[in-house]
Amino acid sequence: MNLAKLPRRNYVTAPTRIDYAANLTKLLGGPEIYIKRDDELPGAGGGNKTRKLDFVIADALLKGADALVTCGAVQSNHCRLTLAWARREKLQCHFVLEERVPGSYHEEASGNNFLYQLLGVDSIKVVEGGSDVDAAMYEVAERLKAAGKKPYIIPGGASNAVGASGYVVFAEELLRQSFELQLSFDHIVVPSGSAGTHAGTLTGIIGANAGIPVHGITVSRPRDVQEEKVYQLAQETAELLGVKGGIPREAVRCYDDYYQPGYSRVNDGMLEAVTLFAREEGILLDPVYTGKQAAGFIDLIRKGVFKKGEKVLFAHTGGAPALYMYLEPFREWFKKI
Ligand SMILES: *Cc1c(COP(=O)(O)O)cnc(C)c1O
């Protein structure tokens, strides 16, 4: 792979840190736990979308765009980061927000929603959960074209092959750090949502022939559906970057026991994991992605999937601004524990 061939904006100017989580390692009594801090990537509020947008916005600019159109859930980190980078690039930015939980969009809400206002979003169209979000983005783009703009549509989570290449970079960066630190990882654990993070990381690991299993914890879909989604995107990414032989289907591994009762909805595993990472390591996870990823991670340690003596890398993809939308369930949880 030669990632230098892909146009990029260079939003990621330095490798993200790898922290050894000594307290969590001791408490859980399993593998050595390392956390790669993609929550501290540049971009307002940090998080994984910056790596993907680095390539995707470069593509938009090359195509002469002056307005970005993208989509997400009502508390979307992806929308927040797309908007933040759009401000830097002097591009308009328009959202289609899918109300996956009925009645959950409030213009005056906290968390990412407030940040949309602060960063000065150009327009928001809210659609019902399950609607054709791509069609809605297309409509917004047509309206902009009629007004003389040059819109560019970024898919949900910036998860196409160009965006996923940002996580191929993550895998290469991680392997370089692993070499420098003389730390050989036995497993990598990622959250698996719109799938760019999972697919890109897997493509990078396979492209480098590194042989480290990549485990994806799903946040919105059952295992078979998510594995197929990751597989398709990893294949496309491998093709874009010329990874010979493509991606073996069995390399795609998802775990779906941790996201119920549904995307962005609270469960005890998430509350436990977010509280544990905060109190043991002083690290803020989020309720929608990394909280559920950590719930799965902890359970897989307890089940012996990740064993004592092994070294596991937990990819912290960010999302903490959404915490402020979840004060009540956390306050209830603190009373219980
Ligand atoms: C979007 C997001 C994810 C999921 O990444 P995908 O590439 O969409 O699978 C994980 N964590 C956070 C904080 C996110 O915003």
Side-chain angles (χ1 to χ4, degrees), residues 135-283:
M137 285 197 290
Y138 185 79
E139 268 174 38
V140 172
E142 287 302 305
R143 175 168 59 73
L144 289 167
K145 270 189 213 165
K149 301 295 290 179
K150 288 190 163 180
Y152 180 97
I153 294 179
I154 298 179
S159 283
N160 52 20
V162 172
S165 300
Y167 269 82
V168 176
V169 174
F170 168 90
E172 291 194 348
E173 181 180 302
L174 165 62
L175 291 171
R176 180 79 213 165
Q177 289 171 307
S178 155
F179 173 76
E180 284 167 359
L181 298 166
Q182 291 188 277
L183 269 175
S184 175
F185 294 109
D186 299 290
H187 304 276
I188 298 168
V189 180
V190 295
S192 202
S194 68
T197 302
H198 188 173
T201 304
L202 185 60
T203 305
I205 291 295
I206 287 171
N209 209 12
I212 308 173
V214 179
H215 306 262
I217 313 291
T218 78
V219 297
S220 54
R221 294 183 193 85
R223 177 181 154 172
D224 52 341
V225 178
Q226 186 68 16
E227 285 189 348
E228 191 53 33
K229 192 173 168 71
V230 173
Y231 178 61
Q232 291 301 337
L233 182 54
Q235 289 289 31
E236 285 167 31
T237 310
E239 200 168 307
L240 175 72
L241 299 174
V243 176
K244 295 229 166 57
I247 306 297
R249 175 64 182 79
E250 64 277 11
V252 181
R253 297 182 199 192
C254 286
Y255 303 82
D256 64 2
D257 287 328
Y258 310 102
Y259 75 93
Q260 295 295 2
Y263 174 79
S264 79
R265 300 221 191 221
V266 172
N267 64 40
D268 282 358
M270 179 280 286
L271 292 165
E272 182 199 13
V274 172
T275 309
L276 208 62
F277 272 61
R279 295 189 179 180
E280 292 300 318
E281 299 293 343
I283 289 176

